[in-house]
Each structure stands twice: as C-alpha cells, then as structure tokens.
Amino acid sequence: MKNLETYQNFYFVGIGGIGMSALARYFHASGKKVLGYDKTNTKLTQNLMKEGIDIVFEDLIDERITALQKEDTLVIYTPAIKTLGILDYFNQSQFEVLKRAKVLGLITENTDCIAVAGTHGKTTTSTLISHLCKEADLPFSCFLGGISENFKSNFLYNGSRYSVVEADEYDRSFLNLSPDWAVVTSTDADHLDIYGDKSHIEEGFRQFAALVPEDQQLFVRKGVEIGRGHQTYAVNEKADYYSDNLRMDHDKIYFDFHTPTETIKDFVWEIPGIHNVENATVALAILHNLGADFDTLKKAITNFKGIKRRYTKHIYENGKIYIDDYAHHPTEINAVMDSIKTFYPDKKLLVVFQPHLFSRTRDFADGFAESLSNADELILLDIYPARELQENFEGITSGWLLEKVTLDKKEVSTLSDAFEKIKEKDFDILLTVGAGNIDTLYDPICEWMNKL
C-alpha cells in the first residue's frame, strides 16, 4: 500500500468507536479530510462533528461517498462491524480498506512505541503513562481507549519521538503493532467469541509480548506468565518495581514506590482501588526508564484526574454519592465494588448494570451474578448487543442472568425506563456500570441528584 501521507481523505467505518475516533482526530489534526459513518449518535460523535469531522448515521451511499476517489482515499474500519453497505461499496470499488489496528501500527512504527495490553487496566495505564509523558514534557503522541480528564480527549499530539497506544486484544488487533516498550497488565479470559478459551487468549498475549525486542522493555504484572524475559511489577509484594505501605486518608491513597535500586516515599494518588495503584506502579516504572525524574513524577501523579467513566465520582451536598464506571467484566465490576466497599462500608449501594454482548453475558454469567450480588439493590438493564444478533443467543437475556443473582431487591429494566426507576429507590450510593449506551443516563442522573 501507499504511504499514509499520500492520502488526502480518510473515511472511518465505525468512527464513533473509542479507538477509531482517536485515529480520526489524528488525521484531522494532520490537516486531512476526515469523514465517516456510525450507527449511533453519541457524545463522542457529536464532539467529533464540532471539531469539523463529517459523520453520517445511515448506511447509505450518498454524494459524499461517491465523490471520493480511490487514489487519494483510505478507508479504515473496525472489526466490530461485520456487514455494511458502505463497507461493501468501498471494497467493490477497490478502495484501499484497512483495519483500525493496521493503521495504528503504521502510524506508530516510526516512533518508540509504548503499547499497553491486558484484559483489564490498559486504559487507565496508557492514559496515565500519557499524562506522565506530558508532565515530563516528552515528545509523544497518544491513542487512548478512553477520554482523559486531563486532556479532555482520547488523542494528544505533543511530538513524535514516542507514541503511547492501548493495545487491544479483540480480534488479535495488538499483533499489528511494533512495540518498543510494552506492558501486560492481565490475561484473564475475555472475548471468547474470538479466542474460544482462556488458553488461546493467553497464547495471544504471548505472541504480543514476543513482538517487543529483547533489548527493550517489557513489564508484566507479577504472576502473569508471558513466556519470555521481562520485568515484573506488583503492589504489596516484592517485584522488580513495586509499591507498598499503602495508606488511605479520606479519598487519597499514599504509597511508596520501589525500583531495583531505590525507594521513593509518599506518592499521593486520588484514583481509588489497589488495582489502580498497580497501574500507577507500572506507569512510574516506564517513565523512570525513560529518564523522568521523581520530583516531576510525584507532582504528575498527584494531578492525574483519571478517565471519563472510570470510577467517575460525584459527592452531593445531601451526602449521596454517584459513581459511573465502564466495567463490563466480572473482574472489573469486583474491583469497582471493592473500592466502594473499602471507602464506604456502611452505605446502601444501588447498582444499575448494563451487560455488554450476549456472548460475554453467557460466558461469564456466574461471575456476573456473584459480583452483582454484592450490591444492596440491583437494576439490571437489557443486554447491549453491540456487534451481535440476539437470535444467535437464544435464552441469553437479562432475565436469565437476574435469576442467578442472590439479592432480594432486584429487577430488570429497559434503558428508557431506568431513570424513573432510579428516582424511586432509596440509596446512599448509586453506581451505573457497563460499556454500552448506559452512559446516556449520566447527565440526567447528575442533573437530578444536584437538585435533591
């Protein structure tokens, strides 16, 4: 294929995806014409349109598409879209059509690429690494899987020596990257619709790890088997890099950070959960190896604001608390709820959960039921299908999952009815959680709780 620089037009099929939109912003910032399709109009697509990117929400071949010439147009698509008339048109018209991950690999191959992989924690870790790079004034660009509260975006350009990317295991996308530095946070079973079983997803991560040159840096959570040499990181246990002496004071966590040769005391961190201290530990390890000094890193850690929909918390004058989180796997839900129980052990917790994908709901039903049973009350929304068709998953419904939950106070709801149900409930803490379109409840809930 031609050099990316030779294309003047970039058409994104599925532009509203978090990874796709970061690429769209990159090409738009580079002065290229960017346009695309998505089936759903969201906050993210609305922001892209405000930035000057042309987006349609119907699968139609209009004049904006027919005006494009294959010689100067690159079409980028997400593998989450299986069939689409627009995509068929581009393929039949012999346009250059590439997966998102392939394009990301091409963009970053001429940089020192820092790739963060793992079934959990990669968004927080890659966003924190990017924040630390910015605070240390390193020349980098980042392509993130969430909206940084510091950057207000999932993309930032601050130079081109380094790139920070979230290495997505879905569809084995991360094997398109050329990482010079890499992190593996976890290899839990997920995306079994792609991998089949846990052994195959573990093999996928081993293949990813093998892409890192032997003379460069691979950091792996202690206890994760990756099949090659690496440096380890951990919390409350010794590793090549580890944090310990964790202390909580109100909503802040204090910890000490250990390298192989020194100890730096009293980092201050406001993102709750021991799992997030793990993420901070490996981010500090990376930046230490890039030459950043610890005075800069201490200040940067303290002013990290997190990621939208990653334990986004509001405390109201009446004492009620609202937390919104993207968790969509039992391990992630456990991490969020454990943090809530640690900070607020005696408060009544109402959970509103939207399962994401019929296949994931089926594969991890018992884990979801066990996690959700730790709430005081549960509103379980209909399953968000994303790329899947319900007729292929007969009997897999939210009602089926609800039967496995051991709570007395539990019910199923549509998304459209959920807000009115929430307003009728008695709770101290409200947690909305899930990766679908449950985020549309966020603004109405905030507005309502501000008035209570």
Side-chain angles (χ1 to χ4, degrees), residues 332-346:
E332 297 166 346
I333 295 172
N334 284 335
V336 173
M337 293 181 68
D338 286 350
S339 292
I340 293 172
K341 296 291 186 182
T342 298
F343 281 104
Y344 311 105
D346 301 319

Side-chain angles (χ1 to χ4, degrees), residues 192 328-330 333 353 355 357-373 380 383 395-406:
L192 299 186
H328 53 283
H329 184 283
I333 295 172
F353 174 56
L357 297 177
F358 296 105
S359 59
R360 185 181 282 122
T361 305
R362 176 198 63 200
D363 294 338
F364 301 103
D366 291 340
F368 281 124
E370 185 176 346
S371 299
L372 297 170
S373 296
L380 186 60
I383 297 169
I396 306 302
T397 65
S398 289
W400 169 79
L401 177 59
L402 191 73
E403 290 181 7
K404 297 175 177 287
V405 176
T406 58

Side-chain angles (χ1 to χ4, degrees), residues 1-2 7 65 68-76 85-98:
M1 64 163 285
K2 296 189 295 184
Y7 293 105
I65 290 178
L68 296 172
Q69 302 297 312
K70 64 182 179 181
E71 292 78 16
D72 61 3
T73 302
L74 179 64
V75 179
I76 302 167
I86 291 173
L87 195 55
D88 290 342
Y89 169 84
F90 285 124
N91 280 314
Q92 291 164 8
S93 303
Q94 297 183 316
F95 280 72
E96 186 77 50
V97 179
L98 295 178

